[in-house]
Amino acid sequence: RRAMSEFGLFQLLILPAALGLVGFVEPCSIGSSLLFVKYLEDKPAAEKIRQTALFAATRAAFIGALGVAAVAVGGAFVSFQKSAWVVLGVLYALIGAILLAGYARSLMLTIGPGIAKLAGARASAGMGVIFGFNIPACAAPLLAALLGAAAATGASGATLGAGFVSLGVFGFALSAPLVAAVFFARARRALDVLAHWAGSFPKWMGAVLILLGAWSIYFGLFVEVPLA
């Protein structure tokens, strides 16, 4: 109970939700949204709703598990997250370079069979896990609060639970605009337009992904994220 008292309603729910919504538009996370939007292209409305909900839920649960890890391992988690930014940055840049070089069809033929085998629920859940590693930099205050609570109370079950809940809420809010886009007609039309642009202008999307990848790599290698 004492550990949970270190984490009030603001830190447990309100701050994570706000940071997640901000994180949706951060460069280090927008790449995953673009790729998922591309994946949803041409799927029926009901299928978009089902897969987006599963993607958001899986991503939230996985980031929640990372919240437990952040409490358990303390400051070492920051180094782990910076490595994840570099790896995902390389992935974005590689996909972007292939698109920019005009090999979008070859990319889809290469990746397509793998996605086909993991079609539907498994594909969305898999992407939720992969992109769950991409915790935006705006989460630094939240991680600071988590690590501070852990330092003050020890890695008790209550503190670990707070880590899961707060990062889980953050992870869901990180995907909330996508969820809104499939549940509300006006937002769904905007999602369809974005998916159409991603499909119609592969070189444009490739250039964006290269820039986002470069930013993510730079951030992971050279930028120190303050946790206090």
Side-chain angles (χ1 to χ4, degrees):
R1 289 181 182 275
R2 183 188 169 194
M4 289 298 288
S5 69
E6 297 289 336
F7 245 65
L9 180 64
F10 176 78
Q11 292 169 310
L12 194 66
L13 299 175
I14 298 175
L15 177 62
L19 291 176
L21 292 175
V22 171
F24 178 78
V25 297
E26 277 202 10
C28 57
S29 65
I30 197 68
S32 59
S33 299
L34 286 174
L35 293 177
F36 186 69
V37 164
K38 175 61 181 172
Y39 169 72
L40 291 177
E41 186 182 15
D42 298 328
K43 285 181 169 52
E47 188 68 7
K48 287 181 179 179
I49 291 173
R50 187 175 73 90
Q51 294 203 29
T52 302
L54 181 62
F55 170 80
T58 304
R59 192 183 195 186
F62 185 77
I63 293 179
L66 292 181
V68 174
V71 172
V73 304
F77 184 81
V78 178
S79 298
F80 166 79
Q81 182 56 54
K82 287 167 74 70
S83 298
W85 282 331
V86 173
V87 171
L88 286 167
V90 170
L91 176 63
Y92 293 152
L94 179 61
I95 294 175
I98 294 173
L99 292 175
L100 196 60
Y103 293 104
R105 185 175 298 276
S106 298
L107 178 66
M108 295 309 296
L109 289 174
T110 301
I111 297 178
I115 292 180
K117 292 176 183 177
L118 296 174
R122 286 185 296 173
S124 295
M127 283 188 280
V129 170
I130 291 172
F131 296 133
F133 281 109
N134 209 6
I135 298 178
C138 72
L142 180 56
L143 290 175
L146 278 173
L147 299 178
T153 64
S156 67
T159 303
L160 294 176
F164 180 83
V165 171
S166 58
L167 264 293
V169 170
F170 169 81
F172 183 79
L174 195 61
S175 305
L178 290 177
V179 175
V182 297
F183 278 98
F184 297 98
R186 181 173 297 179
R188 189 161 57 246
R189 286 194 293 271
L191 180 65
D192 288 338
V193 169
L194 183 58
H196 174 74
W197 281 357
S200 300
F201 303 100
K203 290 189 176 182
W204 169 84
M205 185 177 182
V208 171
L209 286 174
I210 288 175
L211 289 174
L212 294 176
W215 188 92
S216 186
I217 293 169
Y218 171 80
F219 204 91
L221 290 177
F222 302 111
V223 176
E224 293 296 326
V225 181
L227 289 179

